[in-house]
Amino acid sequence: MEHSRPRSGERTERVEAYLGLGSNLGDRAANLWEATRRLGELRGCTVERSSRLYETAPVGPQEQAWFLNAVLSVQTSLSPHDLLRAAKQIERDMGRVPGERWGPRLIDIDVLLFGEKRIASAELTVPHPELWRRRFVLVPLADVVPSGPLADEVRGRLEELGEQQELRPWPA
């Protein structure tokens, strides 16, 4: 009997990672569902939980449509950098083109957390550098984080932020 070996970048142990998704162009909900489907089809990646969708005011240029945002919990045997590369490939395959920072986008997929890892490289920073300052990420993250220290931290950070960033469940 042959044993399968992990491919390059794939690890044998699985790690829980959290991914942030956002879209404000086209059919925003369909874009999030399609990205979720594609992430679930990645070898070495299983979508465990998905938050509900939230509609949020744009951060950055305000002359753009509101975003729909969600957070996924995934179990993955991919390395953090391979997970990021796969997410960016999904963005390109779905039609995302480079544009202005914090500008309109068909789909955005960010690696928010990767197990207990802290990463600071040119390509990837984990935890995501804006994670703790963005209500539109923390509210859906609270939907999918199991009880425990991370859930407590998310709740505490949300209390610190207050209601300063407009966000509403979607559909309303």
Side-chain angles (χ1 to χ4, degrees), residues 81-99:
H81 286 86
D82 283 339
L83 180 60
L84 176 67
R85 280 189 281 279
K88 296 308 166 192
Q89 185 62 53
I90 290 170
E91 290 178 354
R92 287 188 296 277
D93 291 348
M94 287 181 62
R96 179 170 175 181
V97 293

Side-chain angles (χ1 to χ4, degrees), residues 6-76:
R7 294 184 308 169
S8 174
E10 199 174 329
R11 303 144 15 123
T12 53
E13 77 271 7
R14 294 178 71 77
V15 172
E16 185 165 37
Y18 295 93
L19 304 175
L21 281 67
S23 174
N24 76 336
L25 294 175
D27 185 336
R28 302 169 303 164
N31 294 339
L32 297 183
W33 296 130
E34 179 62 15
T36 299
R37 184 188 69 75
R38 291 178 186 218
L39 287 161
E41 290 178 349
L42 288 175
R43 182 176 177 159
C45 188
T46 305
V47 175
E48 295 288 318
R49 292 179 302 282
S50 176
S51 71
R52 69 177 304 166
L53 302 182
Y54 293 90
E55 193 169 36
T56 61
V59 171
Q62 298 298 300
E63 311 78 39
Q64 59 181 315
W66 278 44
F67 279 81
L68 278 188
N69 290 292
V71 169
L72 303 177
S73 166
V74 301
Q75 288 288 324
T76 185

